[in-house]
Amino acid sequence: MPVESGSSTAARQAKQKRKSHSLSIRRTNSTEQDRSGLQRDMVEGQDSKLPLSLRSNLLDLFSQIEREFENLYIENLELRREIETLNDRLTAEGQTFEGADLAKGALKTKASHSTSQLSQKLKTTYKASTSKIVSSFKATTSRAVCQLVREYVGHRDGLWDLSITRTQPMVLGTASADHSAMLWSIETGKCLLKYMGHQGSVNSIKFHPTEQMALTASGDQTAHIWRYMVQLPTPQPVADISQTPCEDDVDFSDKDEADGEAEGPNDCPSIRVATTALRSHQGVVIAADWLVGGKQVVTASWDRAANLYDVETSELVHSLTGHDQELTHCCTHPTQRLVVTSSRDTTFRLWDFRDPSIHSVNVFQGHTDTVTSAVFTVGDNVVSGSDDRTVKVWDLKNMRSPIATIRTDSAVNRISVSVNQKIIALPHDNRQVRLFDMSGVRLARLPRSNRQGHRRMVCCSAWCEENSTCNLFTCGFDRQAIGWNINIPVLLQEK
């Protein structure tokens, strides 16, 4: 009789194993339709409070996990058969190994590799779905609560910027495309004063750190410094607006309410002449800010330069050039003589005036589109926002790469960072306002619907943690500013 060689025997065994494996997979695939039908029947028959679509999605995920582990189990069985075959051959040759230990090691290695691949696949493919599922099970006690407290209505065109005074009396200032800036009572929403000295759109407003003076930048190529005196009215009871979890009551409808012509306050006093006018720019002045101490101001313009002025003499001290395109924003450090300027050239620059003899500049390159704003925090960080839909947190001691990156679904406008809690408020082109911590974790999204919130692009945000009623303000091109009360639980910030 013919005798099979060892090689032909091994080939025949390998062929049988592949055939067995293919049959197992075929049997698995042939039952998928029956299993899916059974799952649908289970979804319809079970008594659950979860929505039908969510339950169906969960079952689909679990069925895929089951199929992956079933394939893994079949592979492990084949490994066991190979180990047994090897042990039989070694025993015939007079050698023996601990089959159990060998099987354990082989199975552990294979299982570890397959499980790692499975974990990565599920994490990549179903990250969005699972994050939504997990967020729906968060305890309500740990969720941020955002309450719309008051609306400030009176401008006849969109609002570009807003700011809060640093001294008493504490008022809100707004800058509008209607060529005016207004001061408002935070508690009552009443207009206290209207500045009408500009001949173009008022693009920014900032208050002096210690005196009752305001700095406004305008499209008429000038920046104005003007003094104000206001008397706060008697506070009125806050409207009964229920507290709304920040993620709820969101309406993404494109339908806007009828705007109508907003009538400005008739009894609001006005100022038409500036105390000081700064006129050195050759283009639109898009932003301005006070340096620490309030003796100098910096302005940013579309002429690609930022100018440093002496407040007392109105003289130009320095012209900061280097940007390749129009500037979009400027900001000063709260305690040091540092200035950061943003530009359409996708960069922002840090100017150091701490040493009078040396004026150093550092260029930050990390965005791919216009940098709409860059602001300082109390520490050694700068936070930049861009039209590339990202926000980046930078360490002034290491400027090569950001320490955190926030990716969003819409262009980001003039951002602000709270002093105490270090929360970043992001106003978006898509009418949303989102809150993040400094590590890039999203904390909340302000509610927006046809009943409350902004109906147009949100241009700016500003924190005011000294006020107990409203601690966050936003403004946009729906001609209004909004005061919010934001309550972020400590537990949520530490996550």
Side-chain angles (χ1 to χ4, degrees), residues 213-233:
M213 291 194 297
L215 170 66
T216 51
S218 174
D220 60 11
Q221 304 184 4
T222 68
H224 289 182
I225 299 174
W226 42 280
R227 291 186 176 273
Y228 63 90
M229 291 184 64
V230 295
Q231 184 176 0
L232 298 180

Side-chain angles (χ1 to χ4, degrees), residues 129-176:
S129 300
T130 54
S131 62
K132 291 180 180 180
I133 296 171
V134 172
S135 63
S136 66
F137 294 118
K138 285 182 179 178
T140 57
T141 56
S142 65
R143 299 186 68 180
V145 177
C146 310
Q147 181 183 9
L148 190 153
V149 179
R150 189 163 284 106
E151 296 176 342
Y152 304 85
V153 181
H155 281 288
R156 295 177 179 270
D157 208 337
L159 275 64
W160 291 117
D161 196 22
L162 51 74
S163 182
I164 298 91
T165 56
R166 310 183 198 181
T167 59
Q168 296 295 335
M170 190 170 292
V171 297
L172 170 69
T174 55
S176 172

Side-chain angles (χ1 to χ4, degrees), residues 387-407:
D387 280 343
D388 64 7
R389 303 182 181 183
T390 67
V391 173
K392 298 178 183 290
V393 182
W394 306 79
D395 188 347
L396 294 180
K397 299 176 182 178
N398 181 15
M399 301 170 292
R400 294 183 179 180
S401 60
I403 59 177
T405 299
I406 302 169
R407 305 186 186 280

Side-chain angles (χ1 to χ4, degrees), residues 399-416:
M399 301 170 292
R400 294 183 179 180
S401 60
I403 59 177
T405 299
I406 302 169
R407 305 186 186 280
T408 68
D409 60 353
S410 179
V412 181
N413 296 310
R414 294 183 177 179
I415 60 179
S416 63

Side-chain angles (χ1 to χ4, degrees), residues 434-454:
R434 294 182 173 90
L435 307 180
F436 288 80
D437 65 14
M438 294 291 289
S439 61
V441 177
R442 194 178 84 167
L443 302 176
R445 178 178 58 199
L446 301 193
R448 197 202 71 79
S449 68
N450 288 333
R451 295 183 294 105
Q452 63 175 336
H454 289 287

